[in-house]
Amino acid sequence: MLVAFLAVFVFVLAVWPLGRLFAEALGTGESGRSFGLISEAMASRAFGRAFWNTLETSAASVAVSVLLGLPLALAISLIRIGNRVALTFLVLSPLLIPSQIMALAWIELMGSSSPILGLLGLAPAPGAMNPLYSRGGIVWLMGIEHMPLVFLAVRASLTSLPEDLVEAARIGGAGTFRIVAGVLLPLTAPAMVAGASLAFAASVGNFGVPALLGIPGRYPMLTTLIYQRLNGFGPAVIGQVAVLALVLVAMAGVALGLRGIVLSRSVPIDRSGRPLVPFDAGRFRRPIVVVLWNVVTLLAVVPLLALVGAALSPAVGVRLAPDTLTLDGFRSTLIGSATVRRAFANSILLSAGAAVAAAGIAVGLAYLGTVRRLKLARWTAWFAELPFIVPGTVLALAYILVFLPPLPVIGVSIYGSATILLLAYISRFLALAIGPVQTALASLDPNLDEMGRILGAGTFRRIVKLIVPLAAPAAAAGAILVFMTAFNELTVSALLWSSGVETIGVMVFSLQYEGNSTSAAALSVASIGFVLVLALLVDRLGSRLPAGTLPWRS
Amino acid sequence: MANIRFDDVSKRYPGKIAVDRVSFEVPNGTFFALLGPSGCGKTTILRLIAGLERPDAGEIAIGKKPVAGHGRFVGPEHRGLGMVFQSYALWPHMTVAANVDFGLAGRGLSRAERRNRVREALDLVGLSAEGARRPHQLSGGQRQRVALARSLAVRPGIILLDEPLANLDAHLRQTMLAEFGRIHAQARTTFVFVTHDQNEAMALADQVAVMDHGRLQQLAPPEELFSRPASPMVARFVGQGRLLAADVVASAGRTTRIRLDDTEFQVEGAAPIGPGWLCLRARDVELAGDGAAGERLNGRVVASRFEGGDHRLTVEVGAAGATGLVDVLSPQRGRIGEAVRLALRGGWVLAREAT
């Protein structure tokens, strides 16, 4: 019963819209020939440019992600240093900070009125174009934004390696360098490739960075091309952009497929032994620590300081100095603008709604799939991952396609209402909630549930009395992850919002687009502060969670 | 009166038959043990009784009510049983009393009645003082008792116990075993007890079902299982029996003449004339002095170990090419290679299946 309900729910929210979109892309188009739409779209010059740009920048940004993420992961997991949790948290902060805000922060950092470059006398001359509005800028920012994916993959594989391997190499006479280069690196290579593939897939689907840097820099990518086409011509062109969506999915799919192949082909490692003990770096420890903190500060802290500076400046272009600092930007943006206040309320309500719904569905699906071992529930959980895997732009397009016409039975279209955003958020981020709950329930003794059955408790009573209390910490963590991610979301919202249901992500984007970067910065700082407080809250919860739920605690 | 009835029940898992056409009955109020090596299907039988698994073929009835078979299936929620898992499966987020109380909901009992039932059940297992504690604050033996109390509280006709003593240390195991006996006598409930340890099974059970490779090998009271095993597997598994290949030359009633190493012996058991097995345990054999009369088995000591106050010698007997091993108790340590003569005090003959 319950499983059928959840399966239908996930089908309507995830499988059906995506399936419809792909069917649309494979349609006939104006020419009437089969696959006409695809061949028409492929022939257009704009498509060709955006396609190659996407491929080029994504590949280059993966190189940046690996060059940053791999050394950071090696240093933080292999060397005995203090404050490891704080360092890891900073390295992973791009996961918490959405790409449009990250882009905004770097724009402020590198711009002519940069409060930090200004202090150093390095700021570009006023009026000069911001150097980030270029291919290089997009590559660099997407590289930083997706660096945590490489970092996490490498660190997970390193820290679970058994210490025996290192001890055996030591006894065999190898020094630290040979152990790292000859034993540990080769064993983590598959994880690195897997992380890099994830970074590629994420870059292909990234919207925030190309939107803030590529649109003013006249450097179109597939996601921004879809956005501009839809914005310019309206839902009539959905068939054409569906083809672009299909290409996006194919590019991400190839990367994820590569990841699957690498992971399945890599040599199996027995990870049951005592985990790796970090090395003592001896006299190199100090320099390494200094370099680490400098790099991490530059990547994660300095841009945010620039953002705060911009938010505190009296007007765009005014050099920041102690006597010009003002809270006017915050005041006028957060209190003065009714639209911004509404956006805050919308984002809180939508993300909270999505978080609660996703956690509830996750508990149901994980219980039925993991504890009760129902095949249908496991398939459903698998399908529920799809909207998270495909680029957000693709999901938003699919939702427009399916939910633009009035719904059957009630005869009302949910397009242009908050409902479509809520449903899209639920389906996009459901996977984030399913993950921790599934991990928690997988380690649960199935006898706990079976005993409830034997004593006569029905499914509903067992879920409420036995499963929910036991899965609560994981479900709460999942819900908070969903909330934090949905709160600042831009990619899906940019295509599905309508006036009255603006979200924070959309507001930041449009304020910056209008040239009101002080307001954009103030709103960004406020929303990041909000998310950071939440992150600290979950961190408090950390001790009651199964290991691996929080990415920054290993 | 039959309390549980299995009729030709089979259960398959991918690539394995866990239960292979098993039929048996458990009379009301018995202490019934399911014994066998790991992977023999005994736990699957328990889970079939509980309703946690569905049989692929055959019928299961509990009381007079069919619960599985002919397309019918009664889920575990509606079978009204009790169960004690090897892991105890106590709910960690509930107190001991709440754990015991869980099964009492939805039975039309008043609050006071429920409280009484919880107290009674905790009294019966000797944990009246621990109701407010949480499972993780209890010792292994106490958790075990809570698991039992949880099932006793609902006053089921049957309580299933899945290797309940496996997670306890040796000393506690003896104590709990005695407790199970006491509680079984007091509660007058049918106990179905799964174990791989023959001593546990033999100690308390009225009936023991020996399983091997999904098949029921023998169902008998412990004494009979020990003295009259029905198959070579049971003979080997129960009481460390040794099997010697022998020729049956005559069989009448309960006694049989067999030839072993050119000597004829009179042994209990019935088997058709032809190849057979002679099952010997240490207590069936003794070392014979040189001068004594009667049939003797000649052998050679191959191993000797000190066990339970005696030296247990393993002796190789029989002619070259058809040798077998026999255990015998001796007051002295045996020298490896030493020639000994054995006299038979007992033994049991089994037919040899075509192999």
Side-chain angles (χ1 to χ4, degrees):
Chain A
M1 248 311 278
L2 183 63
V3 68
F5 173 75
L6 290 174
V8 168
F9 196 73
V10 168
F11 179 82
V12 170
L13 281 188
V15 184
W16 166 242
L18 291 174
R20 266 295 271 120
L21 181 70
F22 299 147
E24 184 80 17
L26 299 174
T28 51
E30 286 168 9
S31 61
R33 280 176 295 126
S34 53
F35 301 119
L37 267 178
I38 291 192
S39 44
E40 281 163 31
M42 299 278 185
S44 92
R45 270 195 57 217
F47 167 78
R49 246 188 100 198
F51 174 77
W52 288 112
N53 285 349
T54 303
L55 197 61
E56 203 174 53
T57 41
S58 298
S61 82
V62 168
V64 173
S65 297
V66 171
L67 288 177
L68 290 173
L70 182 65
L72 283 171
L74 287 175
I76 292 181
S77 5
L78 291 183
I79 300 171
R80 192 173 307 143
I81 42 173
N83 298 322
R84 199 185 290 223
V85 172
L87 263 178
T88 310
F89 186 85
L90 287 178
V91 170
L92 296 182
S93 63
L95 285 181
L96 289 179
I97 299 169
S99 44
Q100 73 276 7
I101 292 184
M102 184 75 114
L104 200 60
W106 279 86
I107 290 170
E108 298 299 346
L109 177 65
M110 302 299 284
S112 52
S113 57
S114 165
I116 289 161
L117 291 190
L119 282 179
L120 302 171
L122 291 172
M129 175 135 129
N130 192 313
L132 287 176
Y133 292 151
S134 63
R135 181 172 65 191
I138 295 177
V139 167
W140 173 241
L141 269 177
M142 291 205 307
I144 296 176
E145 181 74 13
H146 304 135
M147 170 271 287
L149 299 173
V150 178
F151 176 88
L152 280 176
V154 173
R155 187 190 63 159
S157 128
L158 274 181
T159 47
S160 67
L161 282 178
E163 173 73 7
D164 320 358
L165 292 176
V166 172
E167 285 172 353
R170 279 246 150 85
I171 290 165
T176 304
F177 179 77
R178 251 195 82 203
I179 291 175
V180 173
V183 178
L184 300 180
L185 268 185
L187 287 175
T188 50
M192 192 205 72
V193 176
S197 310
L198 277 184
F200 183 86
S203 300
V204 166
N206 194 309
F207 174 71
V209 173
L212 264 86
L213 301 181
I215 292 178
R218 304 208 175 277
Y219 187 83
M221 310 240 303
L222 284 174
T223 47
T224 46
L225 185 63
I226 292 175
Y227 172 77
Q228 287 176 309
R229 285 267 170 94
L230 266 184
N231 251 9
F233 305 102
V237 293
I238 198 139
Q240 283 176 34
V241 291
V243 175
L244 302 186
L246 194 62
V247 173
L248 272 182
V249 171
M251 289 170 85
V254 167
L256 296 176
L258 175 72
R259 173 171 180 266
I261 291 171
V262 168
L263 286 182
S264 65
R265 288 281 174 83
S266 60
V267 277
I269 302 169
D270 177 13
R271 297 182 186 273
S272 56
R274 205 155 43 88
L276 214 61
V277 178
F279 298 114
D280 201 337
R283 65 201 157 89
F284 294 111
R285 203 183 76 97
R286 246 195 133 59
I288 289 175
V289 168
V290 169
V291 169
L292 262 182
W293 276 102
N294 273 314
V295 168
V296 168
T297 308
L298 179 67
L299 292 182
V301 181
V302 172
L304 289 185
L305 287 179
L307 190 67
V308 173
L312 292 174
S313 75
V316 179
V318 177
R319 276 277 152 93
L320 203 63
D323 56 319
T324 59
L325 279 182
T326 166
L327 285 172
D328 281 351
F330 279 106
R331 203 171 299 131
S332 66
T333 314
L334 299 179
I335 301 166
S337 158
T339 330
V340 170
R341 285 205 312 267
R342 197 166 60 213
F344 245 103
N346 284 337
S347 275
I348 289 177
L349 286 176
L350 285 170
S351 328
V356 170
I361 298 170
V363 169
L365 275 182
Y367 165 70
L368 293 168
T370 318
V371 180
R372 296 287 293 280
R373 312 210 62 73
L374 296 181
K375 274 220 176 68
L376 181 59
R378 270 182 284 171
W379 285 346
T380 308
W382 189 86
F383 277 117
E385 306 266 328
L386 282 183
F388 189 62
I389 296 172
V390 300
T393 312
V394 175
L395 184 73
L397 273 182
Y399 265 62
I400 295 177
L401 186 65
V402 169
F403 293 114
L404 183 60
L407 288 179
V409 187
I410 45 174
V412 181
S413 168
I414 59 167
Y415 182 73
S417 74
T419 314
I420 195 170
L421 272 174
L422 180 66
L423 293 182
Y425 282 181
I426 294 174
S427 75
R428 174 114 172 112
F429 300 122
L430 183 53
L432 288 177
I434 290 181
V437 179
Q438 242 171 6
T439 319
L441 289 187
S443 63
L444 197 70
D445 177 6
N447 292 162
L448 291 176
D449 180 58
E450 290 175 347
M451 194 62 220
R453 292 189 80 180
I454 286 169
L455 290 178
T459 303
F460 184 72
R461 177 151 182 256
R462 295 201 311 277
I463 291 184
V464 172
K465 291 271 181 178
L466 305 181
I467 301 301
V468 167
L470 293 170
I480 293 176
L481 280 183
V482 171
F483 185 92
M484 289 194 299
T485 321
F487 184 71
N488 271 318
E489 206 282 339
L490 172 64
T491 317
V492 171
S493 325
L495 291 177
L496 296 181
W497 76 282
S498 47
S499 102
V501 282
E502 306 85 353
T503 67
I504 303 249
V506 171
M507 275 320 294
V508 168
F509 179 47
S510 41
L511 285 172
Q512 172 74 4
Y513 199 69
E514 292 159 7
N516 190 352
S517 49
T518 306
S519 285
L523 183 55
S524 301
V525 169
S527 72
I528 287 183
F530 192 72
V531 167
L532 274 181
V533 169
L534 268 178
L536 291 177
L537 270 181
V538 225
D539 195 58
R540 288 285 103 133
L541 229 100
S543 57
R544 297 181 51 193
L545 293 175
T549 314
L550 297 183
W552 57 86
R553 283 193 182 269
S554 52
Chain B
M1 186 180 92
N3 201 202
I4 304 171
R5 193 168 51 78
F6 265 52
D7 202 354
D8 217 10
V9 174
S10 295
K11 173 73 189 171
R12 261 172 225 93
Y13 292 121
K16 186 188 168 192
I17 298 188
V19 171
D20 191 4
R21 307 198 57 179
V22 167
S23 303
F24 64 84
E25 283 185 3
V26 181
N28 220 343
T30 35
F31 199 120
F32 186 88
L34 280 160
L35 173 67
S38 63
C40 70
K42 56 190 190 299
T43 294
T44 308
I45 288 198
L46 203 71
R47 293 175 62 83
L48 284 164
I49 300 175
L52 296 170
E53 305 283 350
R54 275 167 198 260
D56 295 314
E59 268 180 75
I60 303 173
I62 292 178
K64 288 188 177 66
K65 209 173 91 191
V67 291
H70 292 305
R72 183 204 321 263
F73 184 76
V74 178
E77 301 91 321
H78 305 113
R79 293 197 180 185
L81 307 174
M83 186 156 178
V84 175
F85 285 96
Q86 184 175 346
S87 63
Y88 313 145
L90 299 180
W91 299 302
H93 58 291
M94 296 183 189
T95 61
V96 165
N99 264 283
V100 176
D101 180 62
F102 184 87
L104 299 175
R107 287 172 191 254
L109 295 174
S110 75
R111 225 169 231 228
E113 280 173 305
R114 278 169 69 164
R115 219 169 315 140
N116 276 339
R117 295 275 283 266
V118 171
R119 207 184 45 231
E120 254 170 53
L122 287 176
D123 273 347
L124 193 54
V125 298
L127 282 182
S128 339
E130 320 293 334
R133 299 177 80 185
R134 302 236 172 201
H136 67 91
Q137 298 169 310
L138 304 179
S139 69
Q142 287 176 320
R143 285 181 209 182
Q144 170 88 141
R145 289 164 199 260
V146 177
L148 188 58
R150 184 169 56 179
S151 287
L152 288 169
V154 300
R155 295 191 185 151
I158 301 167
I159 293 185
L160 310 171
L161 303 113
D162 185 8
E163 303 249 5
L165 304 177
N167 289 340
L168 301 178
D169 60 42
H171 170 70
L172 207 50
R173 214 174 287 174
Q174 292 309 317
T175 318
M176 279 315 294
L177 203 54
E179 282 284 88
F180 283 145
R182 177 180 68 79
I183 292 164
H184 175 248
Q186 233 171 311
R188 290 193 204 89
T189 300
T190 306
F191 272 33
V192 181
F193 187 101
V194 160
T195 179
H196 64 271
D197 182 327
Q198 46 170 313
N199 294 327
E200 281 176 17
M202 302 289 210
L204 292 173
D206 307 309
Q207 293 276 323
V208 179
V210 181
M211 300 279 305
D212 191 38
H213 291 110
R215 307 197 81 132
L216 180 62
Q217 296 282 331
Q218 188 172 4
L219 172 57
E223 304 81 1
E224 186 179 330
L225 210 60
F226 196 87
S227 55
R228 295 194 286 281
S231 73
M233 181 268 158
V234 178
R236 278 197 200 95
F237 190 74
V238 175
Q240 296 174 298
R242 300 280 197 179
L243 292 180
L244 297 176
D247 289 316
V248 177
V249 291
S251 186
R254 298 275 306 269
T255 52
T256 298
R257 280 199 77 74
I258 54 151
R259 187 164 50 235
L260 188 71
D261 195 17
D262 291 333
T263 317
E264 289 199 3
F265 299 90
Q266 183 97 6
V267 192
E268 257 195 276
I273 291 171
W277 291 115
L278 173 61
C279 168
L280 291 176
R281 301 207 170 78
R283 66 170 192 175
D284 297 330
V285 193
E286 62 188 355
L287 288 172
D290 287 337
E295 286 82 16
R296 296 286 179 264
L297 265 177
N298 295 311
R300 202 166 287 281
V301 176
V302 293
S304 170
R305 66 176 199 265
F306 188 64
E307 189 181 287
D310 288 305
H311 290 277
R312 192 183 190 93
L313 314 184
T314 303
V315 178
E316 190 180 53
V317 297
T323 58
L325 297 175
V326 181
D327 289 332
V328 62
L329 299 182
S330 155
Q332 278 116 39
R333 183 180 295 275
R335 271 187 297 114
I336 308 292
E338 180 186 359
V340 289
R341 285 155 62 77
L342 305 176
L344 263 53
R345 287 193 305 189
W348 176 252
V349 175
L350 283 168
R352 198 167 345 159
E353 298 115 5
T355 42

